[in-house]
Amino acid sequence: MGAIKIESFIGMIPAQDPSLLPNSAASDAIDAWISDGSLQGWKAPVTIRPLSDPNASVVFRVPRSSEIGRAPDFEGSRWFEFTDPFTDVVKSPLANDAHGRIYVASPSSPPKYISADRASFGLDFLLLGIPAPDDALSVTAPDWDTSAPHTVRSYVFTWVSEFGEEGPPSPAVTRTGNQVGSWDVAFPSVPPNLNAQRSITKRRVYRTVTGSNGVADFYPVGDFGLSETAFSDTANDSDITGLGALPSASWTPPPALQGIVALPNGMLAGWVGSEVWFCEPYRPHAWPGKYALSFGFPIVGLGFSGVTLVVLTTGHPYAVTGSHPSQTQTVELNAPEPCLGRRSIVSSQDGVYYASPNGLVCATGALVFPATHRFVRKTDWMTLTDPYSFRAVRVNASYTAIAAGSGNGVHIDTSDGKIVFVPMRQGGGWKNLIRDIWSSELLLVGNGVVARMDPTGDAPTIPFRWRSKIFQLPKKDNLGAAKVFFRVPPGSPPQGEEVASPQTLSGSMLGIIRMFASLDNGSTYTLVGARELRRSGVIIRLPSGFKSEFWQFEIEGRVDVSSVQLAVSARELASV
């Protein structure tokens, strides 16, 4: 007598022998979504819009109006497209940025940004950062003699953009003159390429005032348009010291950042080579070199968890903490777990996940630990997945990735003690998988379109396949009856004529149950029969005429399966 009942399905545990798996685990599975214990398929992608550039690999959406309390307006949104698959896009770190700016970094072009207004007028991205002027001011001091009060002043100026972004100062010019009088200041000519990919609209002039402590600081004299050639400075020291000292002495443009992430406290972080750079908090155009950190290995990418920046390299990972770039602390984490690809990096509250040669790894502010070692060996990891090509996102408590080009990927959930490892085959041609920051929708990019992955509604279901563990009965017997309980999801096709022994799942079938038995005491397994799933919970007569001690079953379908029951006879099935 032998009976099998499976509920609360879980995914694969490739590290275990198929005969030693938990009863509800899969020995093999493809495209099964397993989150609530039932077997489900992913919904087929639904196209949102065609790509303007069929070569685009990365898209970023900006809603034109608030989407609070309503569905995302994909059609009415502004879309940005990028061909470099390693392009990072972040929104402004300023809360309620009046200019609606986004910031972009990639290995193939200098860091840049664009405002909502520029985008709406079809204007190009601007280079990130404001450079220092090359030439000094010309200053003529008022005449003085040794009997008159005199002072020593230095003058500098900075460039200022239309968004109020200010760069570092020009070379200083120093003069001695009458403390009372007119100081005549002349501007150098404006460089002809000053506004090549920049939008600088004015100069800001500063002069020194020496405090009671004997230290001189630069204070603002005034702002002047680019067409102005000269002015006379007659302001008293007391008129300008209340305006605050020069803030931008170290506000240089960023280097050729390879990527960028947004952090708490108004900070952006990026990297080039083996260095991490930080912007001045809430000043995303300013990247002081004094904040840069160097690491012992080339950097592959960055992630963050809470207030911790995780630096992933070709060797050890590192954790960087601190509420301000001037007060950071760096820790080399405890294991040499190199990152195989920057697009495998997924940030979450419980750590930063990424693909290493040993499996999926999670790095926190204190340690790095393997997330899949209990159920995926290193050889299985590299065989069942393509981690070098991962394009990964966080879905609830799951890590979901596709491989660029092939569409093959993996869905992993290690939350609440549930082990889920399910390879995915979403179809070829997809170049990227992105999570839309405004709606949390998963977006697939490729095949000339942007599509929603696993959308809600009546989209058809991608058929899944789930094969059970190897069950060993108390003695050789024939499993002659089965029940499969399932729900038909919206978007399922109408059923065609019943097929007695289906070989493949056709477009008019809801599902198939296949039975495998070993006729040589567990060495090999043979398909001994298949039946179409027509109605939930009805008794399905399975092939007879032989007995075996070792059995497997497989479900392939587009329905939501909650339970499978198998027994020697229909009578025995009633008591399962």
Side-chain angles (χ1 to χ4, degrees):
M1 177 177 181
I4 298 168
K5 181 179 181 180
I6 305 299
E7 296 174 318
S8 297
F9 299 86
I10 63 176
M12 296 171 59
I13 311 177
Q16 290 190 20
D17 185 278
S19 63
L20 302 178
L21 293 169
N23 283 354
S24 57
S27 63
D28 190 22
I30 295 290
D31 283 331
W33 170 269
I34 308 171
S35 60
D36 60 359
S38 67
L39 287 177
Q40 302 177 33
W42 294 74
K43 289 289 189 177
V46 172
T47 297
I48 294 174
R49 63 186 294 272
L51 288 168
S52 300
D53 182 350
N55 296 315
S57 296
V58 175
V59 298
F60 188 82
R61 181 179 77 95
V62 178
R64 294 180 188 270
S65 59
S66 173
E67 294 180 345
I68 296 176
R70 60 188 181 91
D73 182 12
F74 292 115
E75 184 176 348
S77 295
R78 181 177 294 114
W79 291 85
F80 298 91
E81 300 178 0
F82 308 91
T83 56
D84 191 325
F86 300 115
T87 301
D88 291 333
V89 187
V90 298
K91 66 185 187 70
S92 173
L94 280 66
N96 302 315
D97 180 9
H99 302 292
R101 287 165 287 187
I102 63 171
Y103 296 83
V104 178
S106 77
S108 57
S109 63
K112 54 192 178 181
Y113 72 109
I114 196 169
S115 67
D117 282 348
R118 288 186 65 86
S120 65
F121 287 112
L123 300 177
D124 289 337
F125 277 79
L126 300 172
L127 292 175
L128 183 58
I130 306 298
D134 293 328
D135 300 318
L137 297 165
S138 295
V139 178
T140 302
D143 294 335
W144 63 282
D145 57 49
T146 55
S147 62
H150 66 278
T151 187
V152 177
R153 289 182 184 175
S154 294
Y155 281 81
V156 297
F157 77 99
T158 62
W159 301 119
V160 181
S161 77
E162 65 171 300
F163 308 111
E165 302 157 327
E166 186 173 8
S170 66
V173 58
T174 303
R175 297 287 185 267
T176 302
N178 195 325
Q179 189 170 353
V180 179
S182 176
W183 294 64
D184 296 327
V185 180
F187 295 110
S189 59
V190 176
N193 62 344
L194 176 66
N195 275 326
Q197 293 186 272
R198 286 192 168 91
S199 186
I200 294 172
T201 57
K202 60 186 177 182
R203 308 176 182 92
R204 183 164 294 153
V205 176
Y206 293 83
R207 80 169 195 232
T208 52
V209 175
T210 301
S212 57
N213 59 358
V215 176
D217 286 314
F218 284 98
Y219 291 91
V221 176
D223 291 353
F224 303 88
L226 299 183
S227 61
E228 297 183 66
T229 59
F231 76 98
S232 294
D233 177 15
T234 58
N236 296 321
D237 289 349
S238 59
D239 295 333
I240 63 174
T241 52
L243 301 176
L246 170 71
S248 62
S250 61
W251 289 3
T252 55
L257 300 176
Q258 305 296 290
I260 195 171
V261 297
L263 302 173
N265 301 319
M267 293 187 291
L268 300 180
W271 80 94
V272 56
S274 58
E275 292 185 335
V276 170
W277 286 62
F278 298 90
C279 79
E280 191 72 31
Y282 303 102
R283 303 281 186 178
H285 71 284
W287 295 74
K290 62 185 179 182
Y291 297 153
L293 303 175
S294 295
F295 296 88
F297 301 92
I299 295 169
V300 178
L302 305 177
F304 62 91
S305 181
V307 296
T308 299
L309 175 69
V310 176
V311 182
L312 301 170
T313 74
T314 58
H316 280 266
Y318 298 81
V320 180
T321 56
S323 59
H324 191 280
S326 64
Q327 301 170 345
T328 56
Q329 294 182 327
T330 300
V331 176
E332 181 180 294
L333 299 181
N334 60 335
E337 290 283 4
C339 179
L340 297 183
R342 61 183 284 185
R343 285 292 179 242
S344 75
I345 301 169
V346 173
S347 299
S348 73
Q349 286 299 313
D350 50 319
V352 175
Y353 291 86
Y354 66 96
S356 86
N358 299 307
L360 187 66
V361 170
C362 183
T364 67
L367 74 163
V368 55
F369 60 90
T372 54
H373 70 289
R374 291 177 297 135
F375 53 94
V376 182
R377 293 171 295 190
K378 180 177 181 178
T379 52
D380 295 324
W381 174 250
M382 301 303 289
T383 301
L384 293 171
T385 69
D386 183 11
Y388 290 99
S389 301
F390 271 4
R391 307 292 188 260
V393 295
R394 189 75 168 164
V395 183
N396 300 325
S398 303
Y399 179 95
T400 300
I402 65 167
S406 69
N408 298 341
V410 66
H411 178 70
I412 301 171
D413 184 350
T414 58
S415 65
D416 300 325
K418 175 180 286 188
I419 301 174
V420 174
F421 180 93
V422 182
M424 301 190 322
R425 303 291 183 266
Q426 291 284 327
W430 297 117
K431 300 177 181 179
N432 212 343
L433 173 60
I434 296 170
R435 188 169 184 174
D436 177 45
I437 66 170
W438 309 98
S439 65
S440 201
E441 291 282 355
L442 303 183
L443 304 181
L444 288 163
V445 183
N447 298 307
V449 301
V450 180
R452 293 171 68 183
M453 181 180 178
D454 198 41
T456 56
D458 295 339
T461 299
I462 298 173
F464 67 86
R465 180 169 56 81
W466 188 95
R467 183 177 291 195
S468 73
K469 66 169 286 184
I470 295 172
F471 290 95
Q472 183 176 5
L473 303 183
K475 63 182 181 67
K476 287 187 176 182
D477 217 331
N478 175 257
L479 293 177
K483 285 183 180 180
V484 180
F485 293 86
F486 60 85
R487 182 183 67 86
V488 180
S492 298
Q495 290 179 293
E497 293 293 325
E498 183 173 0
V499 179
S501 297
Q503 301 300 306
T504 59
L505 183 73
S506 73
S508 61
M509 292 182 183
L510 297 177
I512 295 174
I513 182 171
R514 298 185 179 97
M515 300 300 299
F516 298 85
S518 176
L519 306 181
D520 54 6
N521 293 320
S523 296
T524 59
Y525 286 81
T526 302
L527 175 65
V528 296
R531 295 291 185 265
E532 184 181 352
L533 302 181
R534 303 284 295 182
R535 289 184 296 156
S536 174
V538 301
I539 295 177
I540 300 171
R541 302 290 182 177
L542 299 175
S544 59
F546 57 89
K547 295 182 179 181
S548 176
E549 187 177 346
F550 300 95
W551 290 83
Q552 279 183 296
F553 71 88
E554 179 179 280
I555 299 290
E556 182 179 5
R558 47 177 62 92
V559 292
D560 302 345
V561 178
S562 57
S563 176
V564 175
Q565 301 174 6
L566 302 166
V568 171
S569 65
R571 177 177 295 182
E572 186 180 71
L573 194 63
S575 62
V576 171

